Amino acid sequence: MTAVLPERPRTYEAPRASTDLLERLALAPAGRTAVVAGDRELTFGALRAEAMRIAGRLTARGIGPESVVALCLPRGADLVAALIGTLTAGAAYLPVDPKLPAERRRYLVEDAGADLVVTADPAAGPLAPGVEHLAVAELTAPDGTERAFSPVPVAAGTLAYVIYTSGSTGRPKGVEIGRGAAAALLAELEDAGIAVTEGGRVGWNASPSFDASVQQWVRVCRGDTLVMIDEETRADPAVLARLVDEQALTDLDITPSHADALLDLLTADGGPRPLTLLVGGEAISPALWRRLGERGAAGVLRTVNLYGPTECTVDATAGWVGPGDGPHIGSVLPGLRMRVLDGKLNPVDAGESGELYLAGPRVGRGYRRRPGLTAERFVADTAGSGGRMYRTGDLVRLLPDGRLGYLGRADGQVKLRGHRIELPEIEAVLAAQPGVAEAAVVLRDDVHGAPGLVAYYRAVPGPGSAPALGPGSEPAPPGPGSAPGSVTESALRDSLAAALPAYMVPAAFVALDRFPTTTNGKLDRPALPAPAATPVTVPAGEATAGMTRSQELVAGVWATVLGASHIGLDDNFFKLGGHSLLAIKLVSRVRAELAVALPVKAVYANPRLRDLAAHIDTLVEATAAAAAAERQDG
């Protein structure tokens, strides 16, 4: 039987009355655990006390409603305390992931007009000049006084946070969300039967720079425990599965790509309610949907597929994954109303493709300091309510049972491993590199056996080079070529890595003598050639025959998962296009071949082939020594 979310009231217009998140936080039992971060735990009493200390020190600096505090902190107890403390002061927070390139961090702080920056390490230097910086330890240090938890009262429309998303103009854009909308999200997750466990234990898995993290931290406001998942744990499915069991998680937000690697490692814990997987960020494949449904039928977990743009406060629709149906994005949550419209803003018939527009109280305020872009995407509601609706750019169709089927994008935006990416933003950075005359980026399904970004570029012609062919010329067949001039893939990759988040750095680069065009002179994206095997050269004297067994094994696995040939000892896994999911595949193959427990974090710590092979040799020796000692004891 297909599971369907409860039908929303047709007259729904606003969030429930008890909207403010901090009012609900004040009611949580003081002795209950609020945050678990490694060996550190905070009770609700301690969290509220820290929030009051932080709020007092912020207000003393003039921080209050509509102020923006940039939080450049890793996932941990300090992040939760600083976030709640900022809201307690009536202000809004701007998440700035410490792992982002320095230029990206500076841009976020300056573009948002942040009033203050909170960092974990003040010695690391300022994120942006002219903005006051404070160490989180200075904000949270006890001062010998205790204050009753009394947040600054704010209206529902007061700014709660600004989260940046990839921008089609080449610059990231900040989405403004109000406090009432964030509170309504929590209420609707409860009403939809998603956040149901009393005193649940919720894994914070998402980067704070992504809106999925909001879905996780709002849960602490209803009295649930937040279990912070560090980078090493979330990168290794085996370690993450152990944490799910050891921490008795009731809820885990995860992308389909991440869930696929984790799924078979989860086991039923015998508790009153199985683990709830909140899957979102990208489409679920039919094969993964089937596996999730089967695991649900076996009582191991229950899975809800969540869809929603950042501009509409995280989640817009939800649908339970059942064993007998196919992929869908469910029905609209009660804080939003959907419109499925054609290009002339007329409603389409059921079953027909149309663009999804969303209206209602959880539609965001707009893009920070971008009135033109806000007016373009947040348009007048066609229902004549006097309100606005957000144009999602997503194509959907209404299924016979009232749920929505997702059909893809109406524009050039893509999703990769849960990340929302505007390809023009990458293209703008690539085209700005010295020596690059023309650039394009596409998402392909066949990069190293998985979806990945491919960058195409044409170098500025060097002396004596033939001119590039333009529209209307008799061109040679398009294909990869040796770009003239001094542009190299290595230099381009390094430059993009210094300006963009890691997930936006292309997995492959293809040099072209010319770009294919359509008959009207526009770039013919479908005609762009597939990337060839990564042209890696074996350094002299380092033939495969001279490698150790571990080096040969690693080279062979790299060649398989990266689609590369002639792997050398000094090659770097990530510079050859490796990423988190390929690192997981690499680790699985090594475990199968050598029966050694290689953690995923070892790949990040030893990205060069020779270093990783040496690390594997150490593990093999330690395993053999332990086995020998056990035989002697026996």
Side-chain angles (χ1 to χ4, degrees):
M1 181 177 179
T2 301
V4 180
L5 289 170
E7 180 71 13
R8 65 175 177 85
R10 295 295 182 187
T11 57
Y12 186 95
E13 289 295 336
R16 62 166 65 165
S18 57
T19 53
D20 194 72
L21 292 166
L22 300 188
E23 289 179 9
R24 300 190 63 180
L25 179 65
L27 303 177
R32 178 183 291 173
T33 301
V35 182
V36 177
D39 295 333
R40 186 183 177 195
E41 293 190 6
L42 283 178
T43 64
F44 277 94
L47 176 60
R48 290 191 288 257
E50 282 204 13
M52 283 304 298
R53 285 196 294 272
I54 292 168
R57 287 159 182 166
L58 292 178
T59 55
R61 288 170 167 80
I63 300 297
E66 297 302 319
S67 298
V68 174
V69 178
L71 304 179
C72 187
L73 301 168
R75 281 192 296 274
D78 283 341
L79 172 62
V80 180
L83 190 158
I84 298 298
T86 299
L87 296 176
T88 301
Y93 77 93
L94 166 70
V96 180
D97 195 326
K99 300 190 305 302
L100 290 174
E103 177 61 23
R104 185 82 164 194
R105 285 178 275 144
R106 181 197 61 77
Y107 173 85
L108 298 184
V109 172
E110 292 184 344
D111 188 74
D115 300 280
L116 182 73
V117 177
V118 178
T119 64
D121 181 13
L127 270 67
V131 183
E132 183 182 6
H133 286 59
L134 282 177
V136 68
E138 183 178 348
L139 284 176
T140 58
D143 56 8
T145 62
E146 290 295 330
R147 304 174 183 85
F149 187 62
S150 55
V152 172
V154 298
T158 304
L159 189 63
Y161 62 83
V162 181
I163 284 183
Y164 274 74
T165 67
S166 184
S168 59
T169 62
R171 297 186 302 155
K173 54 189 183 292
V175 180
E176 294 186 329
I177 299 295
R179 281 274 282 271
L185 170 67
L186 175 59
E188 291 158 29
L189 291 174
E190 294 172 319
D191 290 345
I194 297 169
V196 294
T197 305
E198 179 68 24
R201 296 177 66 84
V202 181
W204 184 331
N205 189 33
S207 163
S209 290
F210 294 101
D211 66 339
S213 64
V214 176
Q215 177 203 85
Q216 292 151 51
W217 70 253
V218 296
R219 295 287 295 271
V220 79
C221 297
R222 74 186 288 266
D224 293 341
T225 298
L226 280 180
V227 179
M228 311 303 287
I229 302 175
D230 60 38
E231 286 299 319
E232 291 182 359
T233 299
R234 71 186 302 272
D236 194 321
V239 178
L240 180 56
R242 285 199 299 272
L243 179 132
V244 169
D245 289 338
E246 292 167 0
Q247 290 293 334
L249 294 190
T250 59
D251 300 80
L252 179 65
D253 179 85
I254 197 166
T255 64
S257 299
H258 202 181
D260 194 36
L262 177 70
L263 193 55
D264 291 334
L265 300 172
L266 296 174
T267 57
D269 61 5
R273 183 180 291 276
L275 171 71
T276 297
L277 285 185
L278 296 91
V279 181
E282 59 189 356
I284 301 178
S285 69
L288 178 58
W289 186 283
R290 183 169 56 253
R291 292 174 62 213
L292 288 167
E294 291 169 351
R295 301 294 275 173
V300 175
L301 51 81
R302 61 178 198 151
T303 303
V304 61
N305 187 25
L306 295 166
Y307 156 87
T310 304
E311 290 84 346
C312 295
T313 320
V314 191
D315 297 320
T317 73
W320 295 103
V321 176
D325 55 9
H328 59 81
I329 59 173
S331 53
V332 177
L333 289 168
L336 294 165
R337 299 182 298 278
M338 72 173 183
R339 316 272 186 255
V340 184
L341 309 176
D342 63 17
K344 297 181 179 179
L345 298 185
N346 296 316
V348 303
D349 294 333
E352 292 186 358
S353 172
E355 185 172 352
L356 179 63
Y357 289 73
L358 295 166
R362 281 206 290 113
V363 172
R365 300 191 343 177
Y367 297 115
R368 188 160 182 83
R369 308 204 296 188
R370 304 279 183 87
L373 187 58
T374 297
E376 178 184 330
R377 304 298 297 189
F378 295 81
V379 299
D381 190 351
T382 55
S385 65
R388 300 175 308 152
M389 59 182 184
Y390 173 69
R391 180 182 181 181
T392 67
D394 289 315
L395 299 176
V396 300
R397 67 184 178 95
L398 192 63
L399 302 174
D401 58 12
R403 297 175 303 183
L404 289 170
Y406 182 79
L407 302 177
R409 291 290 300 177
D411 55 23
Q413 187 186 109
V414 300
K415 286 286 189 77
L416 178 63
R417 298 191 295 278
H419 301 296
R420 169 174 158 179
I421 299 172
E422 296 280 3
L423 297 177
E425 183 178 351
I426 308 174
E427 291 171 344
V429 177
L430 181 59
Q433 301 308 309
V436 174
E438 192 173 5
V441 179
V442 300
L443 176 66
R444 300 185 65 104
D445 292 330
D446 54 356
V447 183
H448 311 325
L453 297 172
V454 179
Y456 298 87
Y457 65 96
R458 180 173 62 81
V460 174
S465 298
L469 293 168
S473 302
E474 281 295 328
S482 299
S486 60
V487 179
T488 65
E489 175 181 336
S490 177
L492 291 177
R493 186 183 296 278
D494 290 345
S495 296
L496 266 60
L500 298 169
Y503 64 87
M504 293 178 72
V505 177
F509 290 76
V510 178
L512 298 178
D513 295 321
R514 73 166 184 86
F515 275 56
T517 57
T518 62
T519 54
N520 61 4
K522 294 184 178 180
L523 173 65
D524 188 356
R525 289 181 181 270
L528 289 168
T534 307
V536 182
T537 304
V538 181
E542 291 186 355
T544 304
M547 291 183 176
T548 66
R549 182 190 175 200
S550 295
Q551 290 168 349
E552 287 182 354
L553 172 66
V554 174
V557 173
W558 283 23
T560 300
V561 301
L562 294 173
S565 60
H566 304 103
I567 301 292
L569 290 174
D570 289 311
D571 286 322
N572 184 300
F573 180 77
F574 297 102
K575 287 191 175 183
L576 296 182
H579 51 70
S580 58
L581 294 182
L582 292 180
I584 291 170
K585 290 184 178 181
L586 168 62
V587 164
S588 297
R589 288 285 303 277
V590 170
R591 286 173 176 166
E593 294 284 345
L594 293 178
V596 63
L598 176 69
V600 173
K601 66 180 181 181
V603 182
Y604 287 86
N606 304 278
R608 282 199 318 166
L609 188 149
R610 68 166 70 247
D611 297 332
L612 183 60
H615 182 77
I616 291 172
D617 286 336
T618 301
L619 293 178
V620 170
E621 291 171 4
T623 301
E630 185 176 345
R631 286 194 298 271
Q632 289 181 351
D633 293 341

